[in-house]
């Protein structure tokens, strides 16, 4: 393992030698990140680690001397796959995660169940989000757009990876559609079975970088990971001919080290990808629409029937794809509904807090009234005693 040294030590006066899991993306830059996030209360012998996988009751963490199964930390951030962590010991003297470092990037979505307005972190400290698009099934434009929005919003660099190019005669058509739809995003066409496109894909994954594959079940992510790793690290499953859907051969998010220090993060196939607070991603993905909005006659244009609406003019002149406009509106409605849920939750929390304050005030007022009443009765009792004398 490599060792990265620093001339200044936030933990002691001697030179700090940080050793970390190089196979899982630990670099000199990462070592500097750890030094910058070494708080004064950190344990003297704390060392860097990275979360490889989350299990039900344990966290699989990579350290400089191997993999460790550790309990979840008792406080602070709940770990996510890809998190950088300080490793130390708990109160019982057992090895433990003692602190989760701030995330430099995070891929997230709204939790899958409909009533939820909570964020689900799929992975952290990611450098490239590779949106996997298989050519053996119809291209779902809306899904591609919403996934790219999330990729942009994560803070990582989006990349589109087309898989199974050897299975479809219309691969060129699909590639053309994707390039048009994912403007500004690099597109790599691959065939893991034939080995095509793998070298080009590797060029997008520099040493120390972390790449996450994101796509539906049966999209060929596991086959692609095996091809890049050069070994069987993920099980592969068959895809149903009727609907093109595959089994969830990957059941958890896990880091997979590659030669050269790059890291892959595989994710289970996702049936839906509900956005969570993705304003920045929307601006990146639909920047052309933002430019159109600025050309409207009225600043508060609703882009419906107002005179001088640049959006309606573009639709009429067929310079704006109606499907793209409809997709934008759908995603905006989804984000607005999520914001309303958050606002409603905030209002309820405020109302509960206010109610507790009112109840406490009422209790205090009643206590004060009882005290004044008791004092008055006590004074009256003393006055009666003096009169009797």
């Amino acid at each position: 393992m490599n060792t990265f040294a620093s001339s200044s030590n936030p933990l002691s006066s001697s030179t700090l030698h940080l050793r970390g899991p190089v196979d899982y993306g630990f670099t000199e830059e990462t070592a500097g990140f750890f030094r910058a996030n070494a708080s004064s209360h950190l344990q003297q012998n704390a060392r860097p680690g990275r979360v490889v996988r989350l299990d039900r009751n344990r966290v699989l963490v990579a350290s400089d001397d191997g993999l460790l199964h550790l309990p979840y930390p008792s406080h602070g951030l709940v770990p996510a796959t890809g998190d950088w962590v300080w490793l130390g010991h708990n109160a019982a003297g057992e090895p433990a995660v003692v602190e989760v470092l701030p995330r430099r990037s995070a891929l997230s979505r709204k939790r899958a169940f409909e009533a939820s307005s909570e964020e689900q972190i799929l992975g952290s400290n990611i450098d490239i989000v590779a949106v996997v698009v298989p050519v053996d099934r119809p291209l779902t434009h809306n899904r591609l757009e919403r996934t790219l929005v999330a990729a942009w919003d994560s803070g990582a660099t989006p990349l589109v990876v087309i898989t199974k190019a050897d299975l479809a005669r219309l691969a060129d058509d699909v590639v053309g559609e994707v390039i048009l739809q994912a403007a500004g995003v690099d597109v790599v066409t691959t065939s893991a079975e034939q080995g095509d496109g793998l070298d080009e894909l590797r060029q997008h994954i520099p040493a120390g970088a972390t790449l996450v594959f994101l796509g539906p079940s049966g999209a060929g992510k596991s086959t692609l990971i095996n091809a890049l790793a050069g070994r069987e690290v993920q099980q592969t499953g068959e895809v149903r001919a009727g609907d093109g859907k595959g089994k969830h051969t990957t059941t958890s998010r896990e880091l997979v080290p590659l030669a050269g220090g790059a890291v892959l993060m595989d994710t289970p196939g996702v049936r839906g990808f509900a956005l969570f607070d993705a304003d920045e991603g929307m601006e990146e993905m639909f920047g052309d629409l933002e430019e159109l909005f600025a050309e409207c006659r009225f600043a508060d244009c609703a882009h419906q029937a107002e005179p001088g609406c640049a959006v309606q003019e573009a639709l009429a002149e067929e310079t704006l794809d109606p499907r793209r406009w409809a997709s934008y509106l759908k995603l905006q409605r989804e984000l607005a509904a999520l914001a309303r849920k958050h606002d409603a939750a905030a209002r309820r929390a405020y109302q509960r807090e206010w109610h507790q304050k009112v109840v406490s005030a009422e209790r205090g007022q009643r206590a004060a009234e009882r005290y004044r009443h008791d004092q008055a009765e006590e004074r009256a009792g003393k006055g009666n005693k003096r009169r009797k004398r």
Side-chain angles (χ1 to χ4, degrees):
M1 293 291 176
N2 295 350
T3 301
F4 302 107
S6 170
S7 59
S8 62
N9 181 359
L11 304 181
S12 69
S13 58
S14 61
T15 300
L16 176 64
H17 294 274
L18 283 181
R19 295 182 178 181
V22 176
D23 291 344
Y24 287 89
F26 188 82
T27 63
E28 187 172 359
E29 180 183 357
T30 312
F33 184 60
F34 270 91
R35 296 187 191 101
N37 288 276
S39 55
S40 58
H41 64 274
L42 195 65
Q43 296 176 9
Q44 181 69 25
N45 296 321
R47 56 187 178 136
R50 193 175 194 187
V51 176
V52 173
R53 188 182 69 235
L54 301 181
D55 296 327
R56 180 170 297 180
N57 299 316
R58 292 271 170 169
V59 182
L60 183 64
V61 181
S63 68
D64 64 310
D65 57 0
L67 297 175
L68 304 170
H69 263 108
L70 304 175
Y72 278 76
S74 58
H75 62 279
L77 280 176
V78 177
T81 301
D83 275 340
W84 292 109
V85 298
W86 281 110
L87 300 176
H89 295 84
N90 58 21
E94 301 169 333
V97 173
V98 295
E99 190 173 325
V100 178
L101 270 64
R103 291 162 182 154
R104 292 181 285 183
S105 64
L107 178 65
S108 66
R109 66 172 179 176
K110 185 181 79 66
R111 289 196 176 275
F113 51 93
E114 187 66 26
S116 172
S117 61
E118 298 178 0
E119 181 181 22
Q120 179 186 19
I121 303 294
L122 300 180
S124 67
N125 299 311
I126 299 164
D127 300 291
I128 305 114
V129 176
V131 181
V132 179
V133 179
V135 300
D136 62 342
R137 66 190 74 175
L139 177 64
T140 306
H141 295 276
N142 182 262
R143 183 192 183 98
L144 176 59
E145 284 174 342
R146 70 170 54 243
T147 310
L148 284 172
V149 167
W152 279 115
D153 202 65
S154 70
T157 301
L159 174 70
V160 176
V161 177
I162 296 176
T163 59
K164 306 183 180 182
D166 57 300
L167 298 182
R169 296 179 181 177
L170 301 177
D172 291 341
D173 294 337
V174 174
V175 173
E177 289 184 57
V178 170
I179 291 175
L180 286 175
Q181 191 171 349
V185 178
D186 289 338
V187 178
V188 178
T189 303
T190 66
S191 169
E193 296 290 342
Q194 303 294 329
D196 295 336
L198 298 182
D199 289 340
E200 182 182 357
L201 179 56
R202 290 189 182 98
Q203 293 175 6
H204 288 272
I205 320 172
T210 298
L211 167 77
V212 60
F213 282 120
L214 196 62
S217 299
K221 301 189 302 298
S222 295
T223 303
L224 194 56
I225 286 179
N226 290 338
L228 288 173
R231 63 189 188 279
E232 187 77 14
V233 294
Q234 296 288 350
Q235 292 183 345
T236 58
E238 296 180 354
V239 177
R240 295 196 298 260
D243 55 12
K245 294 182 179 180
K247 296 179 180 179
H248 290 271
T249 53
T250 305
T251 58
S252 62
R253 286 170 283 278
E254 182 172 355
L255 299 184
V256 178
L258 298 179
V263 184
L264 288 172
M265 182 187 298
D266 193 13
T267 60
V270 289
R271 291 187 178 89
F273 202 99
L275 297 179
F276 183 88
D277 190 19
D279 289 342
E280 294 183 9
M282 289 290 288
E283 291 178 6
E284 292 285 354
M285 189 63 198
F286 295 98
D288 56 328
L289 296 182
E290 299 288 342
E291 294 177 2
L292 275 179
F293 299 159
E295 297 177 8
C296 292
R297 181 183 301 176
F298 303 109
D300 59 348
C301 183
H303 315 300
Q304 294 179 354
E306 294 86 351
C309 174
V311 173
Q312 293 302 318
E313 290 178 4
L315 289 171
E317 295 171 359
E318 298 184 353
T319 56
L320 172 60
D321 184 359
R323 186 215 56 78
R324 180 171 170 80
W325 175 240
S327 177
Y328 172 84
L329 293 177
K330 181 178 180 180
L331 294 176
Q332 286 288 19
R333 287 194 298 269
E334 185 177 312
L335 291 172
L338 181 62
R340 287 194 297 272
K341 286 183 180 180
H342 273 296
D343 291 342
R347 284 196 301 272
R348 288 194 296 270
Y350 175 79
Q351 289 167 355
R352 285 194 300 270
E353 182 181 358
W354 180 253
H355 176 71
Q356 291 171 354
K357 289 180 178 179
V358 170
V359 169
S360 294
E362 289 177 348
R363 288 174 179 170
Q365 184 176 0
R366 288 196 297 269
E369 289 175 351
R370 284 197 302 271
Y371 176 78
R372 287 194 297 269
H373 178 72
D374 293 342
Q375 290 293 312
E377 285 188 343
E378 185 178 348
R379 287 194 296 271
K382 290 180 179 179
N384 291 335
K385 287 182 180 179
R386 286 195 292 270
R387 283 194 294 273
K388 286 181 181 179
R389 291 177 183 173

